[in-house]
Amino acid sequence: ISKKLTQDLSEQGVEFITKHRKKMKPANHTSFQKWFLSKRAIVEAVIGQLKEICQIEHSRHRKTDHFFINLLAGLAAYVLKPRKPACSLKALPTTFLIPN
């Protein structure tokens, strides 16, 4: 990730967190950030289900109304699904909730 992108995101109040990869400087993540990085598979599973099952995808809508209707219909279909991936916050120790 470029430094410019990281700076632009931080100016907007968004913190960009990634795992350490080759040719990267090691970042000192807090335990809270490490916990979120470990839940990436669940986030990707939800996004995958929204794309595949609920048919939310990037398409060329001619009107913004059609885009929002497609998005809301897909989110409603996801909410009505009986089985969804879950992330239990009960397993998260309270020390993680306190930022360092």
Side-chain angles (χ1 to χ4, degrees):
I1 272 303
S2 68
K3 290 181 182 179
K4 172 114 173 77
L5 177 61
T6 306
Q7 289 174 348
D8 290 345
L9 289 173
S10 65
E11 289 173 3
Q12 295 177 10
V14 176
E15 185 178 2
F16 191 75
I17 304 169
T18 59
K19 287 187 176 183
H20 177 71
R21 299 183 190 266
K22 290 182 184 177
K23 298 182 182 179
M24 284 179 64
K25 293 179 184 177
N28 295 329
H29 294 302
T30 64
S31 54
F32 189 60
Q33 291 170 341
K34 289 178 186 176
W35 181 81
F36 268 112
L37 284 172
S38 70
K39 301 302 176 191
R40 180 179 175 163
I42 295 173
V43 172
E44 289 181 3
V46 169
I47 291 171
Q49 286 186 5
L50 286 172
K51 286 182 175 181
E52 295 294 323
I53 299 167
C54 302
Q55 298 174 356
I56 292 179
E57 59 183 85
H58 175 71
S59 60
R60 297 175 190 244
H61 298 284
R62 295 181 187 260
K63 293 185 178 183
T64 54
D65 296 344
H66 297 160
F67 165 74
F68 284 113
I69 289 170
N70 183 29
L71 180 66
L72 290 174
L75 289 174
Y78 180 77
V79 167
L80 295 174
K81 278 185 57 173
R83 294 184 61 204
K84 297 184 263 301
C87 178
S88 174
L89 290 177
K90 293 178 184 175
L92 181 65
T94 56
T95 56
F96 282 5
L97 300 177
I98 302 169
N100 291 343

